[in-house]
């Protein structure tokens, strides 16, 4: 029964929830530094192409599978295919659990930074490596973050996820616009914008193409059934294709805006030299507090705390979606009551996230956990990178490839088309044709190839590109 599982009350509620899932640390933390490393605007062009040409058809498929079956990923594949296909759903649920286990750790950092900056502690940027080793402090922020996430998910779809998204997403948007307006007034802002928007195609290589694709997929929350799950709470009045387009558009817009906000800050700090962008993952946690400090004590606290609150809100609507997937599985398949499923899962995921928490300097064996082959060389990486490699770099593209194969060759595109026709007015036939073509050929081939080359390169050092 659909109603006892819960449903989104409004169209915009679903779109905001799904966009909330998509907009996260990926957009605001990862996207800008990937742009920095991948040749500025050249990366942006690739990213946009992948989002619309490759990811959008997968998104439509996921939502359609969810709405058709009104079930969690495991139940959905079982219902539409044969029992064996439910392995795609299971893979997705495992990926979700693993992603949330480390994602929550980083979300905890973001929230901890908010608390530090509110108190005027700008030195936190320089202390970042030490900060993340204070495991009781950082662990406590992780617990707070997981608790808030679980609280929202425990309230169900309309009363929890939808309501939270309707508050958090508009707030996030206002904060980002406010910060952009401010950052553009800074000295050197134009240098930052130039770096961001003038493409340097010479920076494009295999590695960049591949991280743009991975980023697009991760950022849109695809490949693990998060949108199958959200789709299962969508009513038959909703236009799936239009919703998917709006979700994609919102996600890329927020990523784009995050760049507009961050690059002027970096340019200001570096007097236009854009040095900080090479800092990779440290861009936000190490470089930005210094920028806020230079704005003076009062303004710095205001701008800086708004920034880290924004980051925390973005992460929160994503952790909610990550938790909802295993919860929906337990509720539908194992008949466990939502509150038990939520709090049990949250605790379990927090616990398996502990090695990720400890692997940032605190425990040596987890900090230097394994050798991963990246950018042409073997690099010693921590446990968190290992989980990210398995779950998001490997499982998501495999999941995406299998979902497309499933839709095209098991469920069949005419059934997909039938489902997406429901609630869809003014359909553009060419869009349907493209979606069919993409899930039948482009997505399985490219996503499958990405999964295989990732495994060969990262684990075995065999570089194809
Ligand atoms: N898309 C989110 C981000 O960009 C992360 C995320 C939330 C996610 N749910 C997901 C990624 C499901 C993959 C699958 O930060």
């Amino acid at each position: 029964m659909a109603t006892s599982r819960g449903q989104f009350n409004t169209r915009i509620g679903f779109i905001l929830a799904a966009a909330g899932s998509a907009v996260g640390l990926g957009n605001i933390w990862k996207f800008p530094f990937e742009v920095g490393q991948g040749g500025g605007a050249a990366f942006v062009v690739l990213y946009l192409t992948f989002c619309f040409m490759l990811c959008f058809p997968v998104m439509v498929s996921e939502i359609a599978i969810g709405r058709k079956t009104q079930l969690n990923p495991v139940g959905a594949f079982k219902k539409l295919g044969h029992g064996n296909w439910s392995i795609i759903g299971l893979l997705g649920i495992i990926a979700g659990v693993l992603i949330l286990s480390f994602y929550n750790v980083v979300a905890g950092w973001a929230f901890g930074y908010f608390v530090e900056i509110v108190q005027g502690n700008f030195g936190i940027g320089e202390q970042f490596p030490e900060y993340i080793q204070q495991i009781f402090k950082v662990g406590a922020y992780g617990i707070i973050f997981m608790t808030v996430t679980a609280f929202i998910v425990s309230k169900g779809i309309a009363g929890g996820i939808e309501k939270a998204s309707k508050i958090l997403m508009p707030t996030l948007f206002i904060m980002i616009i406010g910060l952009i307006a401010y950052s553009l007034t800074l000295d050197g802002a134009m240098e930052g914008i130039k770096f961001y928007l003038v493409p340097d195609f010479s920076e494009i290589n295999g590695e960049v193409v591949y991280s743009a694709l991975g980023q697009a997929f991760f950022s849109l929350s695809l490949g693990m059934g998060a949108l199958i799950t959200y789709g299962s709470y969508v009513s038959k009045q909703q236009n799936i294709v239009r919703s998917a387009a709006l979700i994609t558009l919102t996600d890329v817009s927020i990523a784009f805006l995050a760049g507009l906000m961050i690059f002027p800050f970096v340019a200001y700090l570096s007097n236009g030299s854009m040095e900080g962008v090479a800092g990779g993952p440290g861009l936000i946690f190490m470089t930005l507090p210094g920028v806020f400090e230079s704005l003076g004590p009062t303004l710095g606290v205001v701008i800086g705390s708004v920034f880290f609150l924004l980051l925390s809100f973005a992460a929160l609507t994503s952790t909610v979606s990550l938790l909802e997937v295993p919860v929906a599985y337990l509720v539908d398949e194992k008949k466990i009551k939502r509150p038990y499923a939520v709090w049990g899962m949250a605790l379990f995921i927090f616990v398996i996230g502990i090695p990720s928490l400890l692997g940032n300097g605190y425990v040596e064996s987890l900090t230097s956990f394994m050798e991963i082959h990246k950018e042409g060389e073997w690099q010693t990486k921590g446990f968190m990178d290992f989980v990210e490699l398995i779950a998001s770099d490997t499982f998501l593209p495999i999941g995406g490839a299998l979902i497309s194969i499933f839709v095209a060759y098991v469920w069949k595109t005419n059934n997909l088309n039938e489902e997406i026709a429901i609630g869809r007015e003014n359909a553009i036939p060419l869009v349907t044709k493209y979606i069919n073509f993409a899930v039948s050929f482009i997505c399985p081939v490219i996503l499958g190839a990405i999964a295989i080359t990732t495994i060969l390169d990262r684990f075995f050092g065999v570089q194809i590109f």
Side-chain angles (χ1 to χ4, degrees), residues 29 113 122-130 132 269 276 279-292 308:
W29 173 50
Y113 262 59
F122 298 110
I124 192 75
E126 283 153 31
Q127 295 151 14
F128 178 67
E130 294 85 45
I132 58 177
L269 186 73
L283 177 57
I284 277 185
F285 290 111
M286 297 171 80
T287 311
L288 287 189
V291 179
F292 300 137
F308 284 106

Side-chain angles (χ1 to χ4, degrees), residues 111-177:
F111 184 64
Y113 262 59
F114 166 70
V115 177
E116 298 292 337
I117 300 277
V118 165
Q119 297 170 352
N121 178 13
F122 298 110
I124 192 75
E126 283 153 31
Q127 295 151 14
F128 178 67
E130 294 85 45
Y131 178 74
I132 58 177
Q133 290 182 42
Q134 296 176 14
I135 48 142
F136 290 103
K137 198 171 189 177
V138 186
Y141 288 127
I143 292 177
I144 295 176
F145 213 90
M146 188 65 93
T147 306
V148 177
T149 304
F151 179 76
I152 295 173
V153 176
S154 74
K155 296 284 170 199
I157 309 312
I161 299 176
E162 179 169 1
K163 206 165 157 192
S165 308
K166 278 183 165 170
I167 300 168
L168 294 173
M169 292 306 286
T171 314
L172 181 139
F173 188 72
I174 293 169
M175 289 196 284
I176 212 169
I177 296 294

